[in-house]
Amino acid sequence: MTVHRRLAATGSVVGAVIVALDGTVLTVARPTLQRDLGASFTQAQWTSTGYLIAVASLLVFAGRLGDRYGHQRLFAIGMLGFGAASAGIGLASGIGWMIALRVVQGVFGALLQPATLGMLRAAYPPDRLRTPIAVRTAAIGVAAAVGPVVGGALVAGPGWRVVFFLNVAPAVVLGGLALAGPGSRRAPAGQGARQLPAGQAPKQALAAGLDVPGALLLAVTLAGLVHTLVALPDAGWTTAGEAGAVLVAAAAFVRHERRTASPLIPPDVVGSAAVGSALGVLVAASAALQGTLFVGAYVLQYTLGLDPFQSALRSLPLAAMMVAAAPCGAVLLRRAGARRTSVTAMVVLALGILLLTRASGTLALCVGFGLLGAGFGAVMVAASHVVVAHSAVESAGVAGGAKQTAMNVGPTLGVAAATVLMGSGGGRALPLVVLASVAVAGAVGGGPLPGRAAAEADDHCDTADDHGGAGARSSVPARR
């Protein structure tokens, strides 16, 4: 493995783990920091909401910046900024400063996340992406399992501020290595041979290719969507006006993208049936999983009367099976293709949710959570591989940004739906059945994903390309 590939793989894994740990650990620390800073419940919630809105609204544009300036460079800036914001949060004197710094952290998180996938796409040919994506998925599963334990230990010991200082050292080290590495000075893939129109200066061409108006319209759309979903459980259906504004912004974005010469989301991404299907599957899978975990937390602690530690033990099979399913998903992806792997994984996810509608004993709960982890881990590998490998190298950042956007919008949608349905008085059965239906809908939506024959053709073609260099293939695979 070359130094460039090693750095890309390490950065992708560590970057994803830092973001995953930050979210899971904050969930544990929020009640304590709320008390220490004298904040209201709404203010404490905004430490998460502000971050989520910032990161979700900027992911696609950040991916485009990576495509233009280089993913390793954006990764370095994102890591260093994320670490600096984390240090500032650890030193924050009030809730206002903390909310503001969490928004700043979200901005740098948006720069960081698409780059973790863009670096992989630039460093590996498509036929060799399965293993690094599987390792990345397994690492996220480990972070999800370790996060609450680490957070609880730190909050009970040194205090909640130490939680944020955890990010600083790895962010500085990885960010510094990425900034000093050879890839940060390398022209983005596909940029070197691009000819500028006559009379057009390089900076003008670069600015024209960024589609700033489209980025602003998409940011408004996604920020409004996330805020509407977060506020939905408290405001009920009174957020119809805000939802209407989101639809108007979305329509304006679509209209602009169709007319502009340099759209924010290139046709090879938005026009690919395989990529679109994979993004839909990821939204459905993450919505079903996170919505189920939200309901499960209340069932374990309020309905079954378990304490947080006992609850964590019963849900531990989820993380364990997610870690185990990641490499298995890579094998299934090669042998069965993305379509069969994703559809089967979504069905397993739905079965796990349905099992939890009536589970009360330890064995049934562990099996239910285990099925959740197995299904989600496998579908993450398969769908992520399709998004990254079936986009051109020149659009890898946008594809990665779209994938991360799906992984931010899906959980927000799932938790909002679960909260509203639980408030309707139907207990756990109604929201879990609805969430299982979402998983089944995701399985149905996986129809356009590539099958086994397409995967074998890709492997044969990409192996031939690899003889001519890792970067020989930069075009989009033929539509299936």
Side-chain angles (χ1 to χ4, degrees):
M1 183 185 292
T2 65
V3 174
H4 182 51
R5 286 186 179 178
R6 189 179 296 113
L7 179 60
T10 303
S12 179
V13 170
V14 176
V17 167
I18 286 178
V19 173
L21 274 176
D22 185 81
T24 55
V25 171
L26 177 63
T27 302
V28 177
R30 189 184 296 120
T32 304
L33 68 87
Q34 176 184 348
R35 182 179 63 252
D36 289 352
L37 297 178
S40 65
F41 178 77
T42 301
Q43 289 175 320
Q45 282 293 105
W46 266 98
T47 61
S48 293
T49 302
Y51 173 89
L52 184 60
I53 290 175
V55 72
S57 61
L58 295 174
L59 280 167
V60 174
F61 185 59
R64 171 53 75 201
L65 290 176
D67 291 331
R68 302 293 291 180
Y69 293 105
H71 300 297
Q72 190 169 315
R73 186 178 302 169
L74 266 289
F75 173 81
I77 295 172
M79 285 292 280
L80 294 172
F82 196 92
S86 296
I89 293 170
L91 299 171
S93 58
I95 190 65
W97 276 107
M98 184 169 185
I99 293 172
L101 286 168
R102 281 286 287 172
V103 173
V104 172
Q105 192 182 43
V107 173
F108 285 107
L111 295 177
L112 162 66
Q113 293 184 53
T116 62
L117 290 171
M119 289 192 303
L120 291 181
R121 180 64 180 93
Y124 291 84
D127 66 316
R128 296 188 181 180
L129 278 169
R130 298 182 185 93
T131 298
I133 288 178
V135 172
R136 184 178 185 272
T137 301
I140 293 173
V142 172
V146 172
V149 178
V150 172
L154 291 176
V155 171
W160 63 267
R161 295 181 185 274
V162 180
V163 167
F164 296 97
F165 291 133
L166 279 179
N167 297 327
V168 177
V172 170
V173 171
L174 265 295
L177 288 175
L179 199 61
S184 65
R185 301 181 184 88
R186 193 175 300 165
Q191 298 288 317
R194 186 172 296 172
Q195 299 296 321
L196 297 178
Q200 189 175 44
K203 289 186 178 180
Q204 291 174 325
L206 189 62
L210 287 178
D211 188 19
V212 175
L216 291 174
L217 286 171
L218 182 61
V220 170
T221 301
L222 291 173
L225 174 62
V226 171
H227 184 267
T228 301
L229 292 174
V230 170
L232 183 62
D234 295 325
W237 302 110
T238 60
T239 56
E242 187 173 351
V246 171
L247 291 176
V248 171
F253 171 72
V254 172
R255 183 173 182 271
H256 169 80
E257 289 292 285
R258 288 179 174 176
R259 295 190 172 194
T260 186
S262 301
L264 176 66
I265 305 178
D268 61 86
V269 176
V270 72
S272 169
V275 173
S277 176
L279 291 174
V281 168
L282 287 171
V283 170
S286 57
L289 176 71
Q290 295 299 328
T292 300
L293 293 180
F294 180 84
V295 176
Y298 280 88
V299 170
L300 291 171
Q301 296 187 39
Y302 291 92
T303 304
L304 302 180
L306 303 175
D307 61 37
F309 181 72
Q310 292 172 328
S311 300
L313 288 179
R314 283 160 178 77
S315 60
L316 193 59
L318 186 149
M321 289 303 297
M322 183 175 170
V323 172
C328 293
V331 174
L332 289 173
L333 182 59
R334 177 182 291 275
R335 295 183 178 179
R339 185 189 307 127
R340 288 183 180 178
T341 301
S342 297
V343 170
T344 302
M346 292 297 284
V347 171
V348 171
L349 181 62
L351 289 175
I353 297 172
L354 290 175
L355 181 58
L356 291 175
T357 58
R358 294 185 174 274
S360 57
T362 299
L363 179 60
L365 290 168
C366 289
V367 171
F369 282 115
L371 290 174
L372 289 182
F376 188 74
V379 80
M380 272 281 289
V381 173
S384 298
H385 179 269
V386 171
V387 173
V388 178
H390 284 248
S391 298
V393 174
E394 295 85 350
S395 305
V398 172
K403 184 261 179 183
Q404 295 299 129
T405 300
M407 297 303 296
N408 278 273
V409 172
T412 309
L413 175 63
V415 171
T419 306
V420 171
L421 292 170
M422 286 183 69
S424 65
R428 61 168 153 166
L430 177 60
L432 290 180
V433 167
V434 170
L435 291 167
S437 301
V438 171
V440 172
V444 174
L449 292 173
R452 179 181 178 183
E456 291 175 347
D458 271 353
D459 285 345
H460 176 75
C461 178
D462 294 329
T463 301
D465 284 340
D466 200 31
H467 290 306
R473 183 182 181 184
S474 63
S475 60
V476 184
R479 302 282 172 80
R480 279 120 179 150

